[in-house]
Amino acid sequence: MPALLLRPTILALGFAFALASAAAADAPRYCRSVAAKLKADGDLAAAARAAFGEPQATDDETCLYPLQLLRYADVDVLVSQIGEPGEACHGCEATLSATVLKRVPGGAKRLRAFSSFAKGGTFGAVASVTPIAIGGDDGIAIESGGLFQGYASSALDLYAFRQRGLVPVEAGAPLIIAGDNSGAETDASKTITVESAWSLAAGELTIDYRVTDARGKSDSRAVWSVGDAALTLKSGAPPKALARATGQE
């Protein structure tokens, strides 16, 4: 082969090799610890294979950890995160991604992925991930806990699958739903615990709160209207004790 024809061929082979090397470098690698979780949960393991294939394991902190499989009427959604849950630094949040899978005979087919759609929690962990419906759209509710200087808190974030992507339904500020100042308060008579339970139905988010302090227990409720992109407080309000329990005042 003439040298003038050989040189472009060598360059093309080199370029292809570089692309293959880059693709291999960018390929996901599982957190080593996820093997036991996938072994114990066959549905999660099958969804992970459909979404990611058979990634190798690594001890790198940027590893991929399939977290939970959410079931909807027409599709499944695999929620994963970067890093092993609970093993990140004190102030590090969990970075979550979602992979939409279509159920097909004998398995599942990957349809679309939403990378880094949410962050939450501390130590790289979220408390819960729940499938929800917002209007006529599927969605995801995420509860994440935080701990700062002895103040514990929990927040709720809602996301909806829309034409423009997996988008947050904003509350205007972090929607704190629980708190506890016992780790920061040396005077037991000043400790406050706020617990809650939430529900989402008929376009409304309802949160029932219970405050426990030196005076005993008290209950209250707040209701938000759930719009296309925002929550609007309709009635009631979070208890004032919640700010004290989370160190916000």
Side-chain angles (χ1 to χ4, degrees):
M1 181 181 294
L4 290 178
L5 296 179
L6 180 61
R7 186 170 182 274
T9 301
I10 293 174
L11 290 175
L13 288 173
F15 182 65
F17 178 77
L19 288 178
S21 299
D26 293 337
R29 292 177 180 267
Y30 279 161
C31 303
R32 200 172 301 279
S33 62
V34 83
K37 182 179 179 71
L38 296 180
K39 185 177 180 180
D41 189 336
D43 290 341
L44 182 66
R49 283 194 299 272
F52 307 118
E54 298 284 355
Q56 296 180 354
T58 181
D59 293 317
D60 191 280
E61 63 183 11
T62 60
C63 60
L64 178 66
Y65 194 100
L67 194 63
Q68 189 172 333
L69 182 63
L70 307 180
R71 301 285 194 184
Y72 298 89
D74 300 320
V75 298
D76 295 335
V77 174
L78 176 62
V79 178
S80 306
Q81 74 170 67
I82 299 301
E84 182 179 354
E87 296 300 319
C89 68
H90 173 77
C92 295
E93 297 177 305
T95 300
L96 302 180
S97 63
T99 306
V100 181
L101 302 170
K102 179 182 179 181
R103 295 188 289 270
V104 298
K109 178 182 179 182
R110 176 178 171 139
L111 294 181
R112 186 177 180 186
F114 301 88
S115 62
S116 303
F117 77 91
K119 291 186 177 182
T122 56
F123 301 99
V126 296
S128 70
V129 182
T130 307
I132 57 173
I134 298 179
D137 300 312
D138 293 329
I140 300 175
I142 298 174
E143 289 185 55
S144 56
L147 182 64
F148 181 70
Q149 294 183 348
Y151 292 96
S153 63
S154 294
L156 177 66
D157 292 288
L158 306 181
Y159 298 86
F161 291 95
R162 301 272 165 73
Q163 289 185 348
R164 59 187 184 276
L166 183 50
V167 298
V169 181
E170 302 284 1
L175 185 55
I176 305 300
I177 60 174
D180 187 328
N181 69 349
S182 59
E185 185 57 67
T186 57
D187 185 348
S189 67
K190 296 181 180 179
T191 60
I192 302 171
T193 299
V194 181
E195 301 169 294
S196 71
W198 61 269
S199 61
L200 184 63
E204 292 183 347
L205 172 66
T206 301
I207 302 180
D208 290 306
Y209 301 90
R210 169 160 289 185
V211 177
T212 303
D213 57 19
R215 295 174 295 179
K217 300 180 185 295
S218 60
D219 297 329
S220 62
R221 169 177 288 184
V223 179
W224 283 263
S225 296
V226 182
D228 180 64
L231 299 174
T232 303
L233 188 61
K234 180 179 179 180
S235 64
K240 294 181 179 179
L242 187 55
R244 299 195 299 274
T246 56
Q248 302 301 309
E249 68 170 36

